[in-house]
Every structure is written in structure tokens, then in C-alpha cells.
Amino acid sequence: MSLVVQKFGGSSVADADSIKRVAQRISLYSKAGHQVVVVVSAMGDTTDELIDLAEQVTDTPPARELDMLVTAGERISMAVLSMALNDAGVDARAYTGSQAGLITDEVHGKAHILRVTPGRIQEALEEGSVAIVAGFQGVSQSTKDITTLGRGGSDTTAVALAAALEADVCEIYSDVDGVFSADPRVAPAARRVPYISCEEMLDLAANGAKILMVRSVEYARRYAVPLHVRSSYSGRLGTIVSDDPERVIPIDPDVTIRTADVARRDAADPTKELPMDDHSDPGLEAPIISGVAHDRSEGKITVVEVPDIPGRAALLFDVVAGSGANIDMIVQNSSTVDDTVAISLTLPEDDAPAALKAIEQSHEAIGYAEVRYNDQIGKVSIVGAGMRSHPGVSATLFRSLGEAGINIDMISTSEIRISVVTEQSALDDAVRVIHSAFGLDAEQTEAVVYGGTGR
Amino acid sequence: MSLVVQKFGGSSVADADSIKRVAQRISLYSKAGHQVVVVVSAMGDTTDELIDLAEQVTDTPPARELDMLVTAGERISMAVLSMALNDAGVDARAYTGSQAGLITDEVHGKAHILRVTPGRIQEALEEGSVAIVAGFQGVSQSTKDITTLGRGGSDTTAVALAAALEADVCEIYSDVDGVFSADPRVAPAARRVPYISCEEMLDLAANGAKILMVRSVEYARRYAVPLHVRSSYSGRLGTIVSDDPERVIPIDPDVTIRTADVARRDAADPTKELPMDDHSDPGLEAPIISGVAHDRSEGKITVVEVPDIPGRAALLFDVVAGSGANIDMIVQNSSTVDDTVAISLTLPEDDAPAALKAIEQSHEAIGYAEVRYNDQIGKVSIVGAGMRSHPGVSATLFRSLGEAGINIDMISTSEIRISVVTEQSALDDAVRVIHSAFGLDAEQTEAVVYGGTGR
């Protein structure tokens, strides 16, 4: 018997029929004897509709009241899902975030979880019930007010509960089959990644992959919770996110698998419906890179002719950080003609107005000549633990972009990631040529697996 | 400075514009320096829509989950109302029933309040905030689950909070101007009753008047909370419900009044907008009866030829009570030809199937000949404390019905009430002729007040 946490997003519970379908999936696990905790988002567009309602009465809703309002969405979906389960003969009980013990700080709209005290959930499980928990919400330890966890909050709820309950796996259900080697809308040859480390997943998420939020992956890594990102529309294997290749997790009511075996088995027949009982080993060599992420949401600030005096660059970064902006990449170029430097930095477009204002207010102290801002940039990143042991990765990256005529504006690297900034109009092409250059296209992967050539 | 509890029903907060209008009314009290607690129902048809959603997934929603679902409605309305108040420059905070300290038993769908611990509400008031509280809901003391109080529950929430906070008045806002001497849709000449005792209000509510539920009036009487039933669309005085003629209550941000003076002042100019500063005394003589209530929702069971043996009638009533039915009126007629009696009783139509089944299952034990059921009955009641000191009330009642050709089927009386059962098709006529016979029609009242004749 396993303890499984299953999280269903808003599109999986958009209407009564979807909810009944989700209830059927949950009941398979419950009826097979597993303990199941379900975390659920608000139905379909409910959250947006509630925010619209708020905007009809005020332009400046107090954060506390807005949290109270939007959390009604999960209260509705969890109660209806619980009813559907009971109707299917499964004893189920729904709990708000507060009842489930999600204790947070008091920062409305983006609260952090301080601790999880799931006593009522454990009681429900011990009594043989499925526990349904409202995602995205908690209760403030200090004020006892209802809080929300911000974007991707339901994933975080699921991972936090899985950690507190020491669940065998935390399944994240959505309408796609898992994590892909690139966004399939941009790179049609993108393929599903069967197994990925937390570190790689973090780098993908931080650089534009939208399937999981950074925060839930960080939580999963910290508490060693294996994640399984999969579709609520099929019984197929999705993507396992874990740092422990020896961890054995349930992937179906009747099947468990060692995480390190997932990629191997998946490659043998990537479209196969579970349960899988094929123990053949096709001898897959792990690809050098796991995926290509892209991001259009950043802008670039360039500060020109900053005096090359110790402390001036530091002052600039202090000023920008003080405006609340999250700086991503930084490039500094020395002038060849005078004692000045040009400093470029990228940051979320939403943070740019405050940062620009702060820089202008410090014009005299920094002593620069000019500030420029460009929001037409794009960032493409390759992520893969295999890069550590493979020389020539950056050479392949730059050669493929050069052959496609794509200019590189900025570069940043970590041990398992290279990101480059290009013009936004060239971004989609950049994703495709890089995806091909590293042998990630679906046909090429077949060649690698079965022919041993092609890379 | 007064402490005022104001309850707004679903039609008063049906959409964003209604909510803004209600916020304006509340802000008048808050800005005048009063402490205000607002109890709010779900917006318009929200509760029905949530129940519809439940019915799309199951025919048998568990009561616990249904309570969880429908309470989302008040969570939405209270948060939006709080936002609208903040937008109007009034500091306001919304609280669920649980947060407001509405502690109940664990009977989902019709929980009873065990105690009220409004510590957070008092804190909010002390800090100068308006406290918005979700009506209709509480939290079970034993299970910590969310409960609902059943029909009219928001009124009960308001009265319970007013009692716990020792409020100066509990205002019940709706879309009508107060309690009327009869349903204006049936008796167009019905007039608003300015002042009524709890006992009379209870009898009106128990006999079909729908503006207040019996339970909230009982609560108000027990804890001596003065109620003010009024319209959210006008500033006019509504109906004061109180047993204390000396109680001084706020009826407007700048006006208080002794309850005994209400009727007098109101009669002077019943359409006058508040604030009222007219201290003239038109010398109104209190009408003998306060109002005429009617009820179409009951049915009549008649058990024929019950042996006239001690204990048989008692057994019948035991059997009916055991089926969960609330018996209203009872009439027993002895036969003139044999040693049997016929027993008729009225009860809510919803309770009839179970009661009939129970009676049939006890056929042998009771030993009756036949059971009949009639759902085409109507009940009309006159209520008034003045009846105590006025002889001939029942004579006037029966004469007026007789002259109109309306047959009386059953009669029941208390010290301040007479109820008669008629054919349902004659009910509306019965309401009108009684309303006229007791001088309640609007023109006649004018005559009584100003001319001293006409009764």
C-alpha cells in the first residue's frame, strides 16, 4: 500500500463532467487500497471570474480580502470533487488549507508555508477516507487570516503535504503528458522527458518552462519528494522528477518502478499505456541535455558610460535591488576609449519601471551617461546534468545559432545550464535549431537509442 | 456612539452595483462614529447555483460536503462587500462564521448555535473597523467542520452576534419596507406595522409570515435584542420588533428613538424619510390585531374511527412524532353513533409522506378504520397582543368569514392568536376580508388615527 498525493489543476476540474472523470481516476487508487490525498485547484476560470468581480467594486482590493475572495474557488471545487467521489462509492472528505494544517506567514497573495500540521488529513487516511485539500491557500500563523500562496500555489500545497505525510509520490496532473524537451508549440519535434533531476527541472522552470513553478520544485528537492508530472487524460507515464535514482514509486494502482528505470523502459515504447511490465533494457544513453527552455518575459536595461571606479557598479546593483527588481543576467563591457564601462542587466518586464525610476533617481551618485531599455529580447536556455561531463556543449550551441544567423546578445552559464539572450523575433528559431543540434528531436532520439549514431 | 448589527440578504447584494449601494449605507453609520457589524448572505442566486452544481455530480451529496460547498457563497459576498467598503474609505474586514466565533453543534444543514465567541469581531471594532461576517454558517465544536444554520440562517447569525456583542439594535435589511399587516400580494390594502412585540412576531412567523424566521425571533426575544426590519432601498423606518417599549435604539446615523414612540411617530407620516425629528403625538390607539398571516404549505391528515380507548390517540401522536413530522393543529371529534373518534392534524406537506407511512405501519396497534390526506388546505391567522383585552375578536373573525361564504374547517387559538383552516382556494379571500374586518386596511387606519372612528 502506498500513500499518494495527487494534484489536479483547474483545467482537470473545469466542469461537472471533468470532476467525475477525475473522481474515477482517484477511485482506482483508493479501491486498490492506497491512501490518497488529493489537492485541487479552482474550477476552470473561477479564480479569474472572482477577480473580475472584485474589480467591479474597486481598483485597489485589500490583499487580505482578495485572498478571502479567491479561496472560495477551491472551496467549491474540493467540495464538489468530494461529492463525486462519495457518489462513486469512495469515502472522501474535503478540507480547506487551514483545516489541512497549511500554516503560513501573513504575506497575503504570496504567503510562504511555515509548517504543515496535517493531523486531520492523517486521521481521515487512517479511517480509510480520501482527503481532498484546497490548493493554493493556507492560514496565517500570526493573524489567523486566510492566505494564498501565489502563482503555482496548488503545486506547492501538494508537495508540502507530500513532504509532511512522507508520501511515496506526489503526482501533478495537468492536460499535458509531462515535461517536454522544449515547448511543443515552438519546437514541434519536442519529446517528453521521462526522468529528470530536481536541479535540471529547477533550471528549466527558472528559465521559462511553465509546467512546474520553481518554488514547488525547490520544496520537492529539499524534502526529497519524488514528483510525477502527468496527464489526467491518459494512463501513460509522464515525467518523474527526483534526485534519487533508487527510489521506488507507484506509477499506477498496481505498478511501482525504480526511478532510474523509467527512462530506459519509457524509451522502449514511449506511447505505452500503463501498467508496464516490460523489463527489457534498450540501453539508452542519457542525452547530454534534458531540455530547451525559453522566456519572453524579460527586458534588458543598459547603463552606458559608468565611470570605472570601484563601488560604482555595486551602487547600481544596490539601487536596482532596492527597487524590488529580481536581476537575472549581468554583462559588463569596458570601453576601449575611456575609463568607463557599460553594464547590461536583464529582469522581469514587470520590474522594469521601478528599476528604471530608481536608476534615474541615482543619476548623480552613479555618474552614468545614459540608460537604455529594451523589452524585445528573448532568452533561450539549455539544461542538462550531462553537460558536466561533455566538453564542447557551448561550442555546439554557438555554432548552431551562428549557422542559423541568430545573434547572441548576452550569455550566462551554470554547471548544468547555458542561457543566451537574442532578439525576441529570433527566439522561436533559436529554440528549434538548438533542439535539433543536441539530438533532441523525436526522430533523432530514436536514432540515438536504436542506432547509436546521429549525435 | 452605538453598536449596530446590520444584516443584508441575497437580493440586497445581488451584483456589484447592489454591493456598492449597501456599502454606501453602511459607511453612513461608520462615518458617523458608530461601530458596525455587517452580516451578509450569498449574492443573489449563488447558493442555488452551487446546489445545482452539486446535483450535476451526485443525487446524494454528503451533508458535510454540501455545507462546505454552499458556504463559499457568503465567503464571496463578504469579501466583495469588504472591498467595496474599503474603496469607499471605510476600513473593513471580512470574517467567516468560524472566524467570527459562531460555534455550533455538528448537525450539518441545520446546525444550532452553541455559543458565540466574537473576540476577533470585538478586536476589529476596537480598532475602528467595520466587521463583515458571513451569515448562515458556523463551525462545529466537536468536529471542527463547517456547518450551516438552515433556512433563515443569516438572520440568526445577525441576532446571535447582536446578542453576544450587546448591540443597540439588529437591523434586518431586505427589499421590503418591514413587516406588513398581511402579505401585500394577497391583501393590497396591507400596511406596514411600525412596532410589534416578539411574541406577536413569533406567532406571525410561525403561521406563514416569511419576512423573519421563527428561530431568529426566538433568539432575539431570549436575549432582548431589538430588531429593526427595514428596506435597503430607502432610509425609511421599517418595523421594530421588541418587548421593551422603553428601549432607545438608533434608527439612523443621527437619530435614536424610544421603541414605544415608533408607532405614534410613524403614523404621523408613514412615508417620511429618516432622520425624523417630529415629536408630535398623533394619539394613535394601538390596533387590536397586528397582522394577518397565511400559509399554504401544510396538509391535513384525518384518521377515521379511532377506538375511543385511553392511549389510542396518544399512540397516534407518538407514531406521527416518531416519523419526524412537526404537528401543527389537532382536532378530535367524537362520533355520535359509536365509540370512536376522528382525529385530524395538520403538518408541513413535506413531512406528510413519512407520517402517513408511519400511521399505516401502526394500523393494527391504533385500530383505526381509514386514513385520509388533503393537501388543498390553507391556514389564516390573526395575531395581536390587543386581543387579550378585547372581547369579541373571535366573533368578528367568524362573522366576517361567514359573510364571505368561507367555511372554517379547523380552529386553534392562543392568547394572542387565532388560526383557522379553510379550503386553499378560499385562502386569499379569507386574508382580505379579515384584514378589512379588523380595520387594518390602509385607508381605515387613517380613519382610526385621524378620525377616531371606523372600528
Side-chain angles (χ1 to χ4, degrees):
Chain A
M1 188 188 72
S2 303
L3 197 170
V4 180
V5 174
Q6 302 185 318
K7 180 258 169 178
F8 294 92
S11 64
S12 299
V13 292
D15 54 29
D17 286 340
S18 308
I19 288 174
K20 283 192 257 190
R21 190 172 49 73
V22 164
Q24 283 305 319
R25 171 167 289 269
I26 298 166
S27 72
L28 292 179
Y29 283 80
S30 175
K31 288 178 177 170
H34 301 292
Q35 294 185 320
V36 188
V37 175
V38 177
V39 174
V40 70
S41 302
M43 291 171 67
D45 300 324
T46 307
T47 306
D48 289 340
E49 288 164 12
L50 291 172
I51 291 172
D52 281 351
L53 180 60
E55 287 172 352
Q56 286 175 43
V57 301
T58 181
D59 296 328
T60 53
R64 175 189 181 280
E65 314 304 312
L66 195 59
D67 276 358
M68 188 70 93
L69 177 67
V70 298
T71 50
E74 287 79 26
R75 179 175 277 216
I76 293 169
S77 56
M78 73 176 186
V80 178
L81 178 56
S82 179
M83 290 175 189
L85 274 165
N86 280 283
D87 194 65
V90 176
D91 189 35
R93 292 179 224 163
Y95 298 91
T96 63
S98 170
Q99 290 175 334
L102 274 291
I103 314 294
T104 74
D105 61 21
E106 66 282 357
V107 184
H108 287 288
K110 46 184 177 179
H112 282 89
I113 296 173
L114 298 180
R115 61 180 199 282
V116 182
T117 52
R120 295 190 65 181
I121 306 302
Q122 283 164 318
E123 273 173 38
L125 294 176
E126 279 159 19
E127 289 166 14
S129 289
V130 170
I132 320 274
V133 178
F136 174 66
Q137 57 178 258
V139 61
S140 156
Q141 176 169 266
S142 55
T143 65
K144 310 296 179 207
D145 286 324
I146 306 299
T147 53
T148 61
L149 308 178
R151 283 184 61 196
S154 289
D155 289 352
T156 306
T157 301
V159 177
L161 274 170
L165 296 165
E166 299 180 359
D168 294 287
V169 67
C170 177
E171 299 187 324
I172 308 288
Y173 285 90
S174 73
D175 50 4
V176 296
D177 272 331
V179 179
F180 278 70
S181 57
D183 185 335
R185 288 167 299 185
V186 173
R191 57 176 183 77
R192 184 171 46 81
V193 178
Y195 175 64
I196 191 169
S197 70
C198 290
E199 192 181 15
E200 292 169 284
M201 190 65 232
L202 270 179
D203 260 332
L204 283 176
N207 289 284
K210 294 188 174 61
I211 193 151
L212 282 176
M213 296 300 288
V214 168
R215 189 168 165 199
S216 56
V217 182
E218 278 173 345
Y219 212 109
R221 178 162 71 163
R222 186 164 165 197
Y223 292 99
V225 176
L227 303 180
H228 186 179
V229 182
R230 62 196 307 190
S231 166
S232 62
Y233 291 87
S234 80
R236 284 204 291 278
L237 192 64
T239 298
I240 307 291
V241 184
S242 171
D243 286 337
D244 180 0
E246 299 304 318
R247 182 82 176 241
V248 175
I249 66 166
I251 52 174
D252 204 54
D254 306 314
V255 181
T256 57
I257 195 169
R258 196 172 67 108
T259 56
D261 293 338
V262 168
R264 207 170 275 133
R265 201 164 297 189
D266 192 53
D269 187 352
T271 63
K272 190 171 188 177
E273 287 276 331
L274 296 174
M276 305 186 306
D277 50 10
D278 175 7
H279 289 260
S280 68
D281 181 347
L284 174 75
E285 184 183 349
I288 295 174
I289 75 169
S290 298
V292 182
H294 69 275
D295 190 349
R296 288 178 228 276
S297 69
E298 295 194 346
K300 181 175 75 162
I301 292 174
T302 303
V303 186
V304 181
E305 290 184 33
V306 178
D308 193 7
I309 299 169
R312 293 296 175 97
L315 177 59
L316 172 66
F317 296 129
D318 274 356
V319 162
V320 174
S323 78
N326 284 308
I327 300 174
D328 181 15
M329 292 165 67
I330 296 170
V331 171
Q332 174 171 327
N333 299 307
S334 297
S335 164
T336 51
V337 296
D338 58 19
D339 277 347
T340 67
V341 295
I343 299 174
S344 294
L345 54 89
T346 64
L347 74 181
E349 284 179 34
D350 291 347
D351 293 350
L356 287 168
K357 191 175 169 194
I359 294 170
E360 274 153 28
Q361 283 171 342
S362 305
H363 193 167
E364 263 185 65
I366 302 172
Y368 60 83
E370 193 189 345
V371 180
R372 296 174 197 148
Y373 178 61
N374 177 7
D375 63 0
Q376 291 302 307
I377 64 165
K379 182 174 67 166
V380 58
S381 306
I382 56 173
V383 172
M387 288 165 63
R388 286 200 182 96
S389 53
H390 281 76
V393 169
S394 57
T396 301
L397 173 68
F398 300 144
R399 189 176 59 242
S400 64
L401 289 175
E403 285 171 4
I406 297 169
N407 280 328
I408 296 171
D409 188 18
M410 298 170 78
I411 300 171
S412 104
T413 61
S414 78
E415 229 188 324
I416 65 160
R417 177 185 54 83
I418 305 178
S419 297
V420 299
V421 168
T422 69
E423 286 181 11
Q424 202 169 92
S425 59
L427 187 64
D428 287 359
D429 282 342
V431 171
R432 281 187 290 268
V433 301
I434 294 170
H435 198 264
S436 291
F438 284 94
L440 291 170
D441 287 0
E443 306 90 312
Q444 291 173 283
T445 308
E446 297 283 316
V448 170
V449 174
Y450 295 109
T453 60
R455 186 183 297 147
Chain B
M1 190 189 70
S2 302
L3 200 169
V4 179
V5 174
Q6 301 185 319
K7 180 258 171 177
F8 293 91
S11 63
S12 299
V13 292
D15 53 30
D17 285 339
S18 309
I19 288 174
K20 282 192 260 189
R21 190 172 48 73
V22 164
Q24 282 306 319
R25 172 166 288 271
I26 297 166
S27 72
L28 292 180
Y29 283 79
S30 176
K31 288 177 176 169
H34 300 293
Q35 294 185 320
V36 188
V37 175
V38 177
V39 174
V40 68
S41 300
M43 292 170 66
D45 301 325
T46 307
T47 306
D48 289 341
E49 287 165 11
L50 290 172
I51 291 171
D52 281 352
L53 180 60
E55 286 172 353
Q56 286 176 42
V57 302
T58 180
D59 296 328
T60 53
R64 175 189 181 280
E65 314 303 311
L66 194 58
D67 276 358
M68 187 71 93
L69 177 67
V70 298
T71 50
E74 287 80 27
R75 179 175 279 216
I76 293 170
S77 56
M78 71 176 186
V80 178
L81 178 56
S82 179
M83 290 174 190
L85 274 166
N86 280 283
D87 193 64
V90 176
D91 189 35
R93 294 180 223 161
Y95 298 91
T96 63
S98 171
Q99 291 175 334
L102 273 290
I103 313 295
T104 75
D105 61 20
E106 67 282 357
V107 183
H108 287 287
K110 45 182 175 180
H112 282 89
I113 296 173
L114 298 180
R115 62 179 197 283
V116 182
T117 53
R120 295 190 66 181
I121 305 303
Q122 283 164 319
E123 274 173 38
L125 294 177
E126 280 159 20
E127 290 166 13
S129 289
V130 169
I132 319 275
V133 178
F136 175 66
Q137 58 180 258
V139 61
S140 155
Q141 176 167 264
S142 56
T143 65
K144 309 297 178 206
D145 286 325
I146 305 299
T147 53
T148 59
L149 307 179
R151 282 184 61 196
S154 290
D155 289 351
T156 306
T157 300
V159 177
L161 275 170
L165 296 165
E166 299 179 1
D168 294 287
V169 67
C170 179
E171 298 187 325
I172 307 288
Y173 285 91
S174 75
D175 50 4
V176 295
D177 272 329
V179 179
F180 277 70
S181 56
D183 184 336
R185 289 167 300 188
V186 173
R191 56 174 186 78
R192 182 170 49 80
V193 178
Y195 174 63
I196 191 170
S197 71
C198 290
E199 191 180 16
E200 291 169 284
M201 190 65 234
L202 269 178
D203 259 331
L204 283 176
N207 289 284
K210 293 188 175 62
I211 194 152
L212 282 176
M213 297 299 290
V214 169
R215 189 169 165 198
S216 54
V217 182
E218 280 174 345
Y219 213 109
R221 178 163 71 163
R222 187 165 165 195
Y223 293 99
V225 175
L227 303 181
H228 185 179
V229 182
R230 63 196 306 190
S231 166
S232 62
Y233 291 87
S234 79
R236 284 203 290 278
L237 191 66
T239 299
I240 308 290
V241 185
S242 171
D243 285 338
D244 180 0
E246 299 304 319
R247 182 84 176 239
V248 175
I249 65 167
I251 52 173
D252 203 54
D254 306 314
V255 180
T256 59
I257 195 167
R258 195 172 68 107
T259 56
D261 293 337
V262 168
R264 208 170 274 131
R265 199 163 300 189
D266 192 52
D269 187 354
T271 62
K272 188 172 188 177
E273 287 277 330
L274 295 176
M276 304 188 305
D277 49 11
D278 175 8
H279 288 260
S280 66
D281 183 346
L284 175 74
E285 183 182 351
I288 296 174
I289 76 169
S290 298
V292 182
H294 69 275
D295 191 349
R296 288 178 228 277
S297 68
E298 296 194 345
K300 181 176 74 161
I301 292 174
T302 304
V303 187
V304 181
E305 289 184 35
V306 178
D308 192 9
I309 299 169
R312 291 297 175 97
L315 177 59
L316 172 65
F317 298 128
D318 273 356
V319 163
V320 174
S323 76
N326 284 308
I327 300 173
D328 179 17
M329 293 165 67
I330 297 170
V331 171
Q332 175 170 325
N333 300 309
S334 295
S335 165
T336 51
V337 297
D338 58 17
D339 278 347
T340 66
V341 294
I343 299 173
S344 293
L345 54 89
T346 64
L347 74 181
E349 283 179 35
D350 291 347
D351 292 350
L356 287 166
K357 193 173 167 196
I359 294 170
E360 274 154 27
Q361 284 171 343
S362 304
H363 192 166
E364 264 186 64
I366 302 171
Y368 59 85
E370 191 189 345
V371 178
R372 298 176 196 145
Y373 178 62
N374 177 8
D375 62 1
Q376 291 303 307
I377 65 166
K379 182 174 66 165
V380 59
S381 306
I382 57 174
V383 172
M387 288 165 61
R388 287 199 182 99
S389 53
H390 280 76
V393 170
S394 57
T396 302
L397 173 69
F398 300 143
R399 188 177 59 241
S400 63
L401 289 174
E403 285 171 3
I406 298 168
N407 281 328
I408 296 171
D409 187 16
M410 298 170 77
I411 299 171
S412 104
T413 61
S414 76
E415 229 188 324
I416 65 161
R417 176 186 54 82
I418 304 177
S419 297
V420 300
V421 168
T422 69
E423 285 182 12
Q424 202 168 92
S425 58
L427 188 63
D428 287 357
D429 281 340
V431 171
R432 281 187 289 268
V433 300
I434 293 171
H435 197 264
S436 291
F438 285 94
L440 292 170
D441 288 359
E443 305 89 315
Q444 292 174 281
T445 306
E446 297 283 317
V448 170
V449 172
Y450 296 110
T453 59
R455 187 183 296 147

